[in-house]
Amino acid sequence: MAIGNHRNASLVVDRKAIYHNIHEAKKRLKDNTDLFMVLKANGYGFGATEVAKVAKKAGASGFCVAILDEALELRRTGFDDPILVLGISRIQDVPLIVKEHVSVTVSSVEWLKNAESVLQDNHISNKLLVHIGLDTGMGRIGFQTPDELSKAIHFMNAHDNIEFEGIFTHFATADSKDDHYFKVQFHRFQKLMQVVKHRPKYVHVSNSATSLWHAACNGNMIRLGASGYGLNPSGRELTPPYHLDSAISLVSEIVYTKKVKKGRSIGYGATYTADCDQWIGTVPIGYADGYSRSLGGFYVLVNGQRCPIVGRICMDQFMIRLPEDVQPGTKVTLIGQDSNQKITLQDIADYCHTINYEVTCDFSRRLPIHYIN
Ligand SMILES: *Cc1c(COP(=O)(O)O)cnc(C)c1O
C-alpha cells in the first residue's frame, strides 16, 4: 500500500509519551522482572520499529508479536532482542523460526512432536525456543490439563533441540472491576504450575491490565501492550495507578470549502440536507484510512471549535459544517488537542461502540506517521 507522504493527513506519534508510559510500567517492577513490549499489528498502529526503539530506551528487554512475519520485520530492522510470537506458528516455518532465533508459543504435545521431526529432518542442531501457553480460562490457545502439560514438559526435557524457555497464561478479565473470574484463572494457573518442577527462564501472566491492577501476580516478565501506547485497557472502567500519556493524534487540513444553499444535500445517500445557508469544508481522510464510517455525526476540531461531521464518511474524504469560511490549509484535529478542546481515542471508541485498541489498529498504512519528541 502506498504511504501518503504527499497528503494533508497524518498520525502524529509522541515518542516521549510512549517512553513515559513504558518507563512507569518498568519502574513498578521488581528488579528481576523483564518487560517485553507487545508490538503486534505494527505496534497497535503506532509503527513497530519506532516503538521498539523507544521501548528499549525505556527499559524493555524483549518484544512480543502475534505472527512470525512481525518478528521477521523486527529482525530485518536490526533488533536482535528476544521476540516471542504469541499466536500458533506453522510447523513448516520451524527452520526459519530457529534460524531467526524467535521464540514460539506452544499449545499441544502434537505441535512439539511435529516441530521436533522437522528439526531432525532438516538436521537443525540449534534449539527451538518454546513458551508453553496455558489456557486458564481465556479459552483461546494453551494447555488445559496438568496431564497434557507434563507430557509436553517431558517431551521437551527428552529432546536437546528444544528449549523450554517460558510458560505463560493470559487473563480474560484483568481490566474489569469485578475480579472474581481473574481469581479463578490465577488459581488454575497456580495449580498447573505445580506440574512444573524446574521453572523456565520466563514465567509471565501479565498484559497491561494485569500489570496495572494485579501487579502481585506479575511473574518475572510482563507483556506490555496497550498501556505502553497510552491506552487505558479498561476503557473508562478502572483508573491506572499512574498517568497514561496519550501518544497519538490524527490531524488533517481543510482542502476545500464552499457556501451551501439551504436545501442542498451532502454525501452518499444524500442523508444530510442543509436547513439554512452554511459553510461546508472537506477533510481528506476516510474509512479506508481507518476513520470509521460509523463516525458520521461525530465531530472534529477546527480553530479550537467543534465542527459536526455532516453526511456519510466516504472512503477517502468527509465533510464538516464550519461556523464560517476558513482558508484551505486550516488545521483539522480528528484526534488530539486544539486550544482547550480535545478528542481522545476513547471518545472515538465510545462513539463507534468499540475499544480504543481497535481504533488505533484500524489506522491504515496509507496514513503517514510523523514522530515527534
Ligand atoms: C495482545 C496480548 C498482550 C498485550 O495486551 P495489552 O492488553 O495490550 O497489554 C499480552 N499477552 C497476549 C497473549 C496478547 O495476545
Side-chain angles (χ1 to χ4, degrees):
M1 178 176 284
I3 298 176
N5 289 320
H6 298 86
R7 63 186 295 197
N8 299 318
S10 63
L11 291 164
V12 181
V13 169
D14 184 347
R15 291 192 188 96
K16 215 168 108 190
I18 295 176
Y19 179 93
H20 161 87
N21 297 327
I22 301 173
H23 188 65
E24 286 297 314
K26 176 76 181 148
K27 259 180 18 196
R28 278 165 38 100
L29 299 178
K30 296 200 193 98
D31 279 347
N32 57 354
T33 304
D34 283 274
L35 184 154
F36 278 27
M37 186 65 191
V38 182
L39 297 173
K40 57 198 186 193
N42 194 30
Y44 291 40
F46 290 66
T49 309
E50 282 303 313
V51 175
K53 285 186 208 160
V54 177
K56 282 187 75 166
K57 281 193 196 128
S61 54
F63 307 119
C64 297
V65 294
I67 60 175
L68 178 59
D69 303 85
E70 293 170 341
L72 299 178
E73 185 182 48
L74 288 166
R75 288 283 180 258
R76 276 200 300 276
T77 43
F79 295 94
D80 52 13
D81 314 78
I83 304 177
L84 169 61
V85 178
L86 296 166
I88 293 177
S89 298
R90 305 188 307 182
I91 293 293
Q92 69 258 45
D93 294 325
V94 162
L96 182 59
I97 288 163
V98 173
K99 178 166 168 269
E100 296 290 342
H101 215 70
V102 168
S103 307
V104 289
T105 294
V106 171
S107 289
S108 72
V109 177
E110 196 194 352
W111 195 97
L112 278 177
K113 287 183 177 165
N114 291 336
E116 209 278 327
S117 305
V118 170
L119 292 174
Q120 284 215 10
D121 293 349
N122 291 278
H123 310 287
I124 296 169
S125 52
N126 285 345
K127 285 176 193 269
L128 174 67
L129 304 172
V130 169
H131 286 232
I132 293 292
L134 301 178
D135 180 4
T136 56
M138 178 67 183
R140 193 166 62 180
I141 55 175
F143 291 85
Q144 296 187 75
T145 64
D147 188 42
E148 283 291 296
L149 174 59
S150 8
K151 278 185 194 147
I153 293 172
H154 188 76
F155 187 85
M156 290 189 291
N157 289 341
H159 292 88
D160 281 346
N161 48 9
I162 300 182
E163 181 177 331
F164 178 25
E165 188 189 37
I167 190 162
F168 72 102
T169 195
H170 192 52
F171 292 109
T173 63
D175 56 353
S176 166
K177 258 186 196 151
D178 179 350
D179 65 358
H180 173 74
Y181 195 70
F182 180 90
K183 285 182 178 152
V184 169
Q185 276 198 264
F186 193 61
H187 180 70
R188 287 179 188 153
F189 175 73
Q190 286 174 310
K191 276 196 86 171
L192 283 168
M193 285 301 286
Q194 286 170 7
V195 170
V196 185
K197 294 286 176 289
H198 302 284
R199 287 166 82 92
K201 182 168 178 194
Y202 298 111
V203 178
H204 48 111
V205 306
S206 291
N207 57 356
S208 296
T210 309
S211 78
L212 289 168
W213 297 298
H214 306 275
C217 305
N218 273 345
N220 68 355
M221 187 263 263
I222 69 166
R223 311 180 301 267
L224 193 82
S227 63
Y229 300 95
L231 306 172
N232 181 337
S234 80
R236 301 189 196 271
E237 188 167 334
L238 293 170
T239 307
Y242 52 90
H243 173 70
L244 297 179
D245 214 350
S246 155
I248 203 165
S249 29
L250 174 58
V251 293
S252 186
E253 291 176 6
I254 300 276
V255 286
Y256 186 72
T257 63
K258 61 188 173 285
K259 182 91 166 261
V260 162
K261 288 271 180 228
K262 177 180 175 181
R264 293 282 291 222
S265 294
I266 305 288
Y268 288 117
T271 55
Y272 175 84
T273 302
D275 60 358
C276 60
D277 293 1
Q278 56 195 241
W279 284 99
I280 298 290
T282 301
V283 183
I285 291 186
Y287 61 78
D289 298 305
Y291 195 72
S292 172
R293 203 163 165 276
S294 32
L295 286 163
F298 195 62
Y299 64 94
V300 298
L301 305 175
V302 179
N303 293 330
Q305 296 185 73
R306 291 180 176 203
C307 299
I309 295 171
V310 295
R312 291 184 183 151
I313 309 263
C314 312
M315 189 185 290
D316 322 290
Q317 310 178 58
F318 65 86
M319 281 65 80
I320 59 175
R321 182 171 175 188
L322 294 163
E324 71 252 317
D325 194 14
V326 301
Q327 285 296 315
T330 301
K331 183 176 174 186
V332 180
T333 302
L334 293 81
I335 296 168
Q337 180 119 22
D338 182 11
S339 310
N340 56 0
Q341 289 283 339
K342 191 169 166 185
I343 299 172
T344 65
L345 277 167
Q346 193 59 43
D347 295 336
I348 303 261
D350 291 348
Y351 195 84
C352 296
H353 305 289
T354 183
I355 53 172
N356 50 29
Y357 297 63
E358 191 181 32
V359 177
T360 65
C361 285
D362 275 355
F363 291 138
S364 155
R365 292 225 182 182
R366 196 168 77 157
L367 282 170
I369 305 177
H370 294 153
Y371 294 94
I372 56 166
N373 295 324

